[in-house]
Amino acid sequence: MLGVSIRSGRTAASTPVTRRRVLVAGAGTAAVSVAGCLGGGEAETPDPVTVPEKATCDVCGMVISQHPGPTAEVFYPDRDPSGHDNPARFDSVWEAYQYEFGKDSAGWEDAAFYVTDHSSVSYETFEDGSDTLISRHYDASSFAAASDVTYVVGSAVKGTMGRDLLGFSGRSDAEAFQSEWGGSLTTHDGVTPEVVAGLGR
């Protein structure tokens, strides 16, 4: 492939927290209280999992491992997203948010929302025709909580579904990527339906 650029990220430990959850500490274990959860009880935060080799995106149906770009997975307690066991899985981060916004309006609450952390993987950018793409990472160790990353939004580097949200647990990594490839910076709370509507092809 032409124009390969390799970036080595640093490993970043992350504590999964979404915009609707509060971390509850106690006796050496972490639990989360899911706002609006039926019964009002506490539930442990699920860890990220490796996306199965043949798993398809819950929005577009493409086989995730066969295409470039950032990956996402979202866990919904006591739900079967798209007719399969948790987590819901996606071949682009913007599609994960699109799905999440739809589930929010249906009253679903997520227990964890993970995205590819480009600060913790050695990613590659490469040319494909007129597009610059970024490599796919879908092992459990490549994920960070969506609330713990800084996103580069709509840069010149694309994923499977076009312009996307590229997450970095190190803000300085996001700033360096933005400096090279353009786009804007935001965090989990700054990702709105309007932001998502401006992404993709």
Side-chain angles (χ1 to χ4, degrees):
M1 301 201 180
L2 301 176
V4 174
S5 172
I6 300 176
R7 300 282 185 270
S8 295
R10 62 183 185 288
T11 301
S14 61
T15 303
V17 180
T18 70
R19 61 182 178 264
R20 291 181 304 280
R21 294 182 293 123
V22 179
L23 184 65
V24 178
T29 60
V32 293
S33 175
V34 180
C37 174
L38 293 177
E42 294 179 353
E44 289 187 20
T45 303
D47 292 328
V49 297
T50 297
V51 175
E53 195 71 27
K54 296 182 180 179
T56 57
C57 174
D58 286 332
V59 172
C60 69
M62 295 172 66
V63 177
I64 294 169
S65 65
Q66 295 178 0
H67 303 281
T71 309
E73 54 187 29
V74 185
F75 290 82
Y76 295 99
D78 304 317
R79 304 282 189 170
D80 293 322
S82 300
H84 61 76
D85 290 340
N86 274 288
R89 49 215 180 202
F90 309 93
D91 64 1
S92 71
V93 174
W94 73 261
E95 284 180 308
Y97 276 99
Q98 180 185 67
Y99 188 94
E100 171 87 335
F101 294 144
K103 295 306 182 187
D104 281 351
S105 64
W108 289 34
E109 294 283 346
D110 70 65
F113 188 146
Y114 296 107
V115 299
T116 302
D117 174 16
H118 292 91
S119 289
S120 69
V121 298
S122 294
Y123 64 83
E124 298 177 1
T125 60
F126 57 94
E127 302 301 316
D128 182 15
S130 61
D131 291 330
T132 301
L133 302 176
I134 192 165
S135 54
R136 169 82 66 202
H137 303 272
Y138 54 92
D139 290 338
S141 61
S142 68
F143 289 110
S147 58
D148 291 346
V149 302
T150 298
Y151 288 116
V152 179
V153 184
S155 73
V157 176
K158 297 179 179 180
T160 297
M161 302 305 290
R163 294 182 304 137
D164 211 334
L165 300 152
L166 301 177
F168 295 84
S169 59
R171 185 174 178 89
S172 62
D173 296 333
E175 291 169 344
F177 190 92
Q178 179 200 27
S179 177
E180 183 173 0
W181 297 106
S184 59
L185 298 180
T186 194
T187 61
H188 180 58
D189 289 337
V191 181
T192 64
E194 292 74 24
V195 168
V196 168
L199 297 172
R201 295 194 183 276

